[in-house]
Amino acid sequence: MSQKRQLLIDTALELFYNNGINSIGINEVLTTSGVAKRTLYSHFKSKDELVMAALQQRHDRFSRWLEAKLSAASSDREVIGCLFGALRSWFGNNEPELGNFRGCFFINTSAEFSDLDSEVAQFCRHHKLEVRRIIAGHLHSDDPLLLDTLCLLKEGAIVTAHLTGSGEAVAARCMEILTQRP
Amino acid sequence: MSQKRQLLIDTALELFYNNGINSIGINEVLTTSGVAKRTLYSHFKSKDELVMAALQQRHDRFSRWLEAKLSAASSDREVIGCLFGALRSWFGNNEPELGNFRGCFFINTSAEFSDLDSEVAQFCRHHKLEVRRIIAGHLHSDDPLLLDTLCLLKEGAIVTAHLTGSGEAVAARCMEILTQRP
DNA sequence: TTTCGGGTAGACCAACCTGTCTACTTTTGG
DNA sequence: CCAAAAGTAGACAGGTTGGTCTACCCGAAA
């Protein structure tokens, strides 16, 4: 069905991710995509609905990407290697399907929407839970402490990579930290 | 000198931290503080300048707070305890001087300002470096891997606490992770 | 007493925001 | 082949933004 709808979502996601949702107006999405305003509002009844569609799109894409990256791992040690190897590659802008690295879209979006009960904030929580579930699904032991460690270090790495810019060193450091454990 | 200036900074910081900088207009700062617009623009030549003053204020307050929390520690193990104990207390809204917990002001602000060269983004980087320096100053061994571990887990904890809401459990988990190492 | 810095209230400006609307054109399926 | 669906351009409405400006007030120091 409608390819314009998909074009709008793709354009919105890229602009939102690169500039923040509040910094991007509807008109910028329209001029960038070359779609008419009327068309946008025939597919989405408000900007919020477009935002939700962009979040969903990012979530799907990121989940598929992560799942593929972890699928090769056949031991916990390999899961660690795959996970932080993938992150390092992302931080270094070598994962075209995820776009130019600018932190985690869901962390960034949460920072912009203060109302914790809003649909947007709820979806961000949902995303993080799903990512955790994906990682858990690839670990052999179901040591909850290991899972928490991976998730916490992953979040720390993403934020630090975004803020400092030295993302690849950060990801490598995470692997050092984790391989130094029993 | 001028107490109005300080009142403006305090009001702006609270509003910015609780709602995000782009969501708060100058007029909201004015009505909340009860100060006239003319007065604001006699102290700050633009909103950006007010934003910078708010960032500086937050940085000073947070640094002093952290320094005080870590000053009691006399061993690396105690530094870990003090650090994540302080974070747990912050996450649980038991640190009035830091206000109601809503993540890290600098991480949130970085998410809103995409230009990495902007004064705002530079200050956020500076803040994180300073915090790292404070932690390093209280560690006895100068094991860089330990320092990195603490900083990464700290960022992960802040982000996760903000996104999921279960902050105190997260901080406790970090301590478990760290005490389980040699 | 006069002068002046710091303050107030609020009208005003240009730019931008989301969202609606009219009027017209293109695409596509039965 | 023609009707319905999907698209276009862009004016418009009503509100908000950051920022400027005029006109006035007050208290303290020279």
Side-chain angles (χ1 to χ4, degrees), chain A residues 18 22-23 102 107-108 110-111 114 124-125 128 144-145 148-149 152 155-156 159-160 163 173-174 177 180, chain B residues 18 22-23 102 107-108 110-111 114 124-125 128 144-145 148-149 152 155-156 159-160 163 173-174 177 180:
Chain A
N18 283 320
N22 287 333
S23 303
R102 228 189 67 79
I107 291 175
N108 295 351
S110 273
S114 47
C124 293
R125 270 198 296 279
K128 289 299 179 189
L145 195 59
D148 282 340
T149 307
L152 283 168
E155 302 298 356
V159 168
T160 305
L163 235 115
R173 207 64 164 145
C174 285
I177 290 169
Q180 202 143 325
Chain B
N18 284 320
N22 286 334
S23 304
R102 227 190 67 80
I107 292 175
N108 295 351
S110 272
S114 46
C124 293
R125 271 198 294 280
K128 289 298 179 189
L145 195 58
D148 282 341
T149 306
L152 283 169
E155 303 298 358
V159 168
T160 305
L163 236 115
R173 209 64 166 143
C174 286
I177 290 169
Q180 204 143 323

Side-chain angles (χ1 to χ4, degrees), chain A residues 17 92 105 130 139 160 164:
Chain A
Y17 178 51
F105 187 40
E130 280 298 299
L139 287 174
T160 305
T164 68

Side-chain angles (χ1 to χ4, degrees), chain A residues 60-114:
Chain A
D60 293 345
R61 215 177 285 181
F62 190 88
S63 299
R64 269 199 304 275
W65 174 83
L66 183 61
E67 193 77 62
K69 288 290 180 180
L70 295 185
S71 66
S74 58
S75 75
D76 286 1
R77 204 163 280 273
E78 277 180 32
V79 169
I80 294 173
C82 286
L83 174 58
F84 288 93
L87 290 180
R88 176 167 55 195
S89 177
W90 178 27
F91 299 164
N93 288 326
N94 299 120
E95 297 293 330
E97 48 192 312
L98 295 185
N100 235 318
F101 178 68
R102 228 189 67 79
C104 169
F105 187 40
F106 302 92
I107 291 175
N108 295 351
T109 301
S110 273
E112 286 192 89
F113 291 77
S114 47

Side-chain angles (χ1 to χ4, degrees), chain A residues 11 13 31 49 61 63 73 79 101 115-116 123 137 154 177:
Chain A
T11 308
L13 174 54
T31 57
E49 216 171 275
R61 215 177 285 181
S63 299
V79 169
F101 178 68
D115 179 7
L116 294 179
F123 191 88
K154 177 204 61 161
I177 290 169

